[in-house]
Amino acid sequence: MTPQGRVTKEQKQGCPQGSCSGPALWNLVANEILNQVWPVNIHIQAFADDFVLVIKADTNKSLVEDTQSAITQFSSWCSENELAISTEKTNYILFSNMVKSPKMTWNGYKIK
């Protein structure tokens, strides 16, 4: 209520940015993926509503396979929770002596 009367805003989905309950609700959802069992060489971290998958591999082939496996696991969780991934904002950084960076994809989209 305001001095001019009742003010409302239609909400179609999710929790509006800056809401009081937004962080608590998000933490409940995000904790599920953070607490899933991941292979020993795959670690997941969350920063607000962004996630980082840190993957250690000894060969180019195992890096690609492990990354694709992690993406599959993460994508399944997103689908179960009706979350969408912004593939255009998805990136990877390679720390390696490899001569050529492997090609990574997320459900058919090339990761930059």
Side-chain angles (χ1 to χ4, degrees):
M1 293 297 291
T2 69
Q4 291 78 27
R6 183 181 178 107
V7 177
T8 62
K9 179 173 169 116
E10 184 181 342
Q11 181 178 334
K12 296 189 180 187
Q13 76 181 97
C15 191
Q17 290 275 28
S19 72
C20 295
S21 61
L25 291 172
W26 176 248
N27 286 339
L28 292 172
V29 174
N31 277 342
E32 183 183 332
I33 190 69
L34 296 173
N35 291 321
Q36 282 189 12
V37 176
W38 293 86
V40 70
N41 63 321
I42 299 174
H43 304 279
I44 186 169
Q45 297 176 348
F47 303 94
D49 63 347
D50 294 320
F51 290 90
V52 174
L53 292 166
V54 179
I55 302 165
K56 180 185 183 299
D58 294 326
T59 66
N60 193 319
K61 182 181 178 189
S62 64
L63 177 61
V64 171
E65 289 172 356
D66 292 346
T67 300
Q68 293 307 142
S69 173
I71 286 172
T72 299
Q73 183 173 344
F74 191 81
S75 291
S76 293
W77 172 78
C78 288
S79 294
E80 291 168 11
N81 289 280
E82 299 181 21
L83 299 171
I85 298 298
S86 175
T87 52
E88 54 276 347
K89 292 182 357 184
T90 302
N91 295 286
Y92 82 94
I93 300 172
L94 179 66
F95 299 98
S96 173
N97 308 11
M98 292 181 194
V99 175
K100 184 178 179 187
S101 296
K103 180 180 177 183
M104 301 289 182
T105 60
W106 189 293
N107 297 333
Y109 295 95
K110 184 179 177 190
I111 301 174
K112 298 181 260 178

